[in-house]
Amino acid sequence: FPVTIRVGEYAAVCAVDGISRPDALYMIKKYAGLFEAMLAEKEYGLVRITGISLSDVKALTVQATGGDQRVDIAVLEGQEAFVVSGTKEALAEIVETVKKRSGVTTTVLDVEAGLHSPLMDDIVKNVKMYLEKVDFKDTQVPFITGVIGEPLQSGEMIRAAIMQHIHAPTQWEKVMESPIVTGK
């Protein structure tokens, strides 16, 4: 695909036999095409911010959002580690603002990690018709969704989680605290 995307959710659902490999590849192809078209229209990016609280990151996203500029939290990695997605100008404003703070670091990331924010709402609308064509099956092995970090086994719930994951933040900390992951 011209756009390199990470497809962990699709691979995970395929691994637990929630969808077939051909269906997973079908969905990845459709998603990649829509994502590439979106990126051709406007410049978006991702920035990892560490050494800052969730409330401060939320305040920064509100401050940088306005007009056609937008920033949202895309990944909650840990207590003081976040990835934000948004328009390049809004992200640049956030990077400039946090440069003044002691102990806060920023790293620009490739958009292949996915935007996981409301910026993707149009893609969700378009992907929905393709997801409805895919046969999601109930699984014997739980699938841990990146959106809520909880195990799912219902095919319909997995379908909903896949769709939600496109435009909702990844809750990495919740995934890593899941009883299935921790063994507790």
Side-chain angles (χ1 to χ4, degrees):
F1 304 106
V3 171
T4 303
I5 60 170
R6 295 185 183 160
V7 291
E9 293 272 308
Y10 294 102
V13 173
C14 190
V16 298
D17 293 326
I19 58 175
S20 68
R21 279 194 185 108
D23 282 345
L25 293 172
Y26 168 79
M27 285 307 309
I28 291 166
K29 183 176 181 180
K30 294 298 181 185
Y31 174 80
L34 292 166
F35 192 54
E36 180 181 53
M38 183 184 114
L39 294 177
E41 287 180 23
K42 193 160 191 165
E43 285 195 61
Y44 295 106
L46 293 168
V47 173
R48 175 179 287 117
I49 306 172
T50 58
I52 191 168
S53 71
L54 177 59
S55 61
D56 284 348
V57 171
K58 285 180 179 179
L60 287 169
T61 63
V62 169
Q63 176 186 335
T65 297
D68 59 343
Q69 302 306 312
R70 181 173 187 131
V71 182
D72 294 287
I73 296 174
V75 182
L76 291 92
E77 292 183 334
Q79 298 234 340
E80 290 190 343
F82 307 91
V83 175
V84 293
S85 64
T87 56
K88 293 278 187 162
E89 296 86 1
L91 290 171
E93 180 181 328
I94 286 179
V95 169
E96 199 57 39
T97 300
V98 299
K99 275 185 183 177
K100 302 168 191 161
R101 296 185 183 194
S102 175
V104 178
T105 61
T106 60
T107 308
V108 175
L109 305 173
D110 293 329
V111 294
E112 68 187 23
L115 299 177
H116 302 293
S117 73
L119 293 169
M120 302 287 285
D121 286 348
D122 288 339
I123 288 183
V124 170
K125 290 175 193 170
N126 291 317
V127 163
K128 184 178 181 182
M129 70 178 171
Y130 300 112
L131 275 171
E132 289 172 352
K133 295 177 184 180
V134 173
D135 181 26
F136 281 80
K137 301 172 200 75
D138 293 349
T139 65
Q140 297 298 311
V141 176
F143 161 74
I144 301 174
T145 172
V147 176
I148 57 175
E150 294 180 10
L152 303 175
Q153 289 183 269
S154 157
E156 286 309 309
M157 290 182 78
I158 293 170
R159 179 193 319 265
I162 291 288
M163 191 168 332
Q164 186 181 12
H165 194 244
I166 295 169
H167 69 136
T170 299
Q171 304 279 336
W172 187 245
E173 192 170 28
K174 287 184 180 181
V175 170
M176 296 311 293
E177 291 172 356
S178 169
I180 291 174
V181 173
T182 61
K184 296 177 186 175

